[in-house]
Amino acid sequence: MTCHIIASPIGVIALSASDDALVSVDMLGASAEPDTTEHPLLKEAARQLNAYFAGDLRQFDLPLAPASTRRGDELRAAVIAIPYGEAQSYGEVARRADSGPRAIGRVCSHNPLPLVVPCHRVIAAGGKIGYYSGGAGISTKRFLLTHENKQEASQWAA
């Protein structure tokens, strides 16, 4: 497995990949110097993340390591299907995936690929921001939703 570090508006992000798939995106939060890598997939992942934060990319196109089960892949696909700039409740995503809200919550809370698998777009019922396991938690989720929606951060109540 190969790792690459990039700086971002939400702090340091560590990207890890096997020879042929992105395995993890870890929001470390602390500051660190970006590194360089010759791994083509990690270079492309870094390019796409930088384009996302610049507002020039709305959907990632990277090979992802498979989820541990076929059903996990299906639920992850339901999260990926949430369009850029939109948010959907756990229940809405669950209905589309013929599943339950708790299963979607579990997929989001154990997501090894945040941002690329945009679990930040999954919110609680009634438009509440809900939980977020990436970066600095809810403040990171609020930043990402605001970045994509160009809305006031106060729109996303805790």
Side-chain angles (χ1 to χ4, degrees), residues 119-131:
C119 55
H120 61 276
R121 296 178 190 156
V122 181
I123 59 173
K128 293 187 178 178
I129 198 163
Y131 177 74

Side-chain angles (χ1 to χ4, degrees), residues 2 10 12 27 37-38 40-41 49-50 54 58 61 74 95 100 116 124 126-127 129 133 136 149 156:
T2 306
I10 58 172
V12 174
M27 297 179 206
T37 183
E38 297 302 316
L41 176 57
L49 280 166
N50 287 327
R58 293 176 171 233
D61 184 19
E74 292 168 357
R95 280 188 290 283
V116 178
I129 198 163
S133 60
N149 289 300
W156 304 107

Side-chain angles (χ1 to χ4, degrees), residues 11-113:
V12 174
I13 296 175
L15 306 168
S16 298
S18 64
D19 289 340
D20 57 356
L22 192 61
V23 173
S24 69
V25 175
D26 294 311
M27 297 179 206
L28 304 176
S31 62
E33 288 297 315
D35 67 0
T36 58
T37 183
E38 297 302 316
H39 193 292
L41 176 57
L42 289 177
K43 286 171 77 171
E44 179 58 17
R47 185 196 70 74
Q48 288 187 32
L49 280 166
N50 287 327
Y52 167 81
F53 284 116
D56 298 329
L57 183 94
R58 293 176 171 233
Q59 185 170 346
F60 294 93
D61 184 19
L62 298 163
L64 306 179
S68 58
T69 67
R70 189 184 63 162
R71 185 64 177 148
D73 274 335
E74 292 168 357
L75 297 177
R76 180 169 72 181
V79 173
I80 291 171
I82 302 169
Y84 179 95
E86 294 184 22
Q88 295 177 1
S89 72
Y90 292 94
E92 290 170 314
V93 178
R95 280 188 290 283
R96 279 192 302 100
D98 194 26
S99 186
R102 286 186 182 176
I104 299 302
R106 182 163 173 76
V107 164
C108 290
S109 68
H110 292 86
N111 179 9
L113 299 158

